[in-house]
């Protein structure tokens, strides 16, 4: 279904996008970051926290070397109370994702992945490649929500088109 090169490109894209979003978010007040904007996870910071939480869960499942997120799943949108805390954790996670992607071989994307889902209350199993695509799509989806919220808040949202990603990123 997918090749390591695709995952590596999307990991670079994830990092590039987060590096562009961080200065915009860091320049905003905590009130603007936590204002309910009617999005699924409410605020900019809530959505950013959800995205980081999801990435952490997937890296835990994919690698087994990343600790699962702390706390209850229902509280995950509040995991980082400040954008500075979120930014530091986001940067660390992006390095983990990039290192994982860079080390992938074709065989790492074959076979099934199985884990127990607390949310579903059962084992989940599907082809590894399906879960990896879901992971990458989840990132793009929620960054799109952040982009829309920034635009609606009168902020200048960064370019998000993959074709404009610098080669050195």
């Amino acid at each position: 279904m997918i090749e390591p090169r695709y995952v590596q490109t999307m990991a670079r894209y994830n990092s590039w996008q987060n590096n562009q979003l961080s200065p915009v978010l860091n320049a905003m007040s905590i009130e603007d970051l936590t204002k309910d904007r009617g999005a699924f996870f409410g605020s900019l910071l809530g959505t950013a926290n959800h995205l980081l939480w999801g990435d952490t869960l997937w890296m835990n499942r994919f690698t087994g070397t990343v600790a699962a997120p702390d706390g209850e799943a229902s509280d995950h949108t509040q995991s980082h109370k400040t954008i500075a805390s979120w930014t530091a954790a986001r940067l660390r996670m992006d390095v983990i994702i990039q290192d994982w992607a860079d080390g992938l071989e074709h065989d790492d994307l074959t076979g099934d992945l199985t884990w127990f889902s607390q949310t579903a209350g059962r084992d989940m199993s599907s082809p590894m490649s399906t879960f990896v695509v879901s992971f990458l799509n989840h990132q793009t989806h929620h960054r799109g929500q952040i982009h829309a919220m920034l635009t609606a808040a009168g902020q200048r949202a960064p370019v998000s088109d993959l074709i404009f990603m610098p080669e050195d990123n």
Side-chain angles (χ1 to χ4, degrees):
M1 181 177 190
I2 59 173
E3 295 292 327
R5 179 89 172 112
Y6 169 75
V7 180
Q8 292 157 3
T9 298
M10 294 308 292
R12 284 183 36 243
Y13 176 72
N14 170 65
S15 182
W16 174 58
Q17 288 298 287
N18 290 329
N19 287 336
Q20 288 189 102
L21 283 174
S22 289
V24 177
L25 296 173
N26 275 281
M28 297 176 72
S29 70
I30 193 66
E31 293 77 23
D32 283 339
L33 291 167
T34 57
K35 179 181 177 182
D36 189 336
R37 298 184 183 278
F40 194 80
F41 295 104
S43 68
L44 284 158
L45 187 54
T47 303
N49 275 325
H50 170 74
L51 183 51
L52 180 57
W53 176 80
D55 285 354
T56 305
L57 273 178
W58 282 113
M59 285 293 98
N60 172 265
R61 293 168 185 157
F62 293 158
T63 71
T65 60
V66 173
D70 292 332
E72 296 294 319
S74 59
D75 297 332
H76 76 279
T77 61
Q78 304 297 315
S79 57
H80 294 276
K81 303 286 186 195
T82 68
I83 200 64
S85 171
W86 175 85
T87 299
R90 178 76 262 172
L91 291 172
R92 286 190 301 273
M93 181 53 58
D94 288 349
V95 168
I96 291 167
I97 292 169
Q98 189 69 58
D99 287 348
W100 166 75
D102 288 345
L104 285 176
E105 302 285 336
H106 178 76
D107 287 348
D108 296 324
L109 298 170
T110 62
D112 289 347
L113 175 67
T114 302
W115 84 92
F116 182 79
S117 168
Q118 296 289 345
T119 303
R122 63 181 174 84
D123 281 343
M124 303 289 289
S125 186
S126 238
M128 178 68 161
S129 60
T130 300
F131 285 132
V132 171
V133 169
S134 179
F135 160 69
L136 298 168
N137 185 63
H138 183 259
Q139 294 171 335
T140 302
H141 167 70
H142 287 299
R143 271 195 312 271
Q145 290 179 322
I146 291 171
H147 192 280
M149 285 187 277
L150 286 172
T151 302
Q155 298 293 319
R156 184 179 170 115
V159 63
S160 60
D161 296 313
L162 180 64
I163 61 170
F164 296 117
M165 180 172 63
E167 285 298 318
D168 63 341
N169 199 39

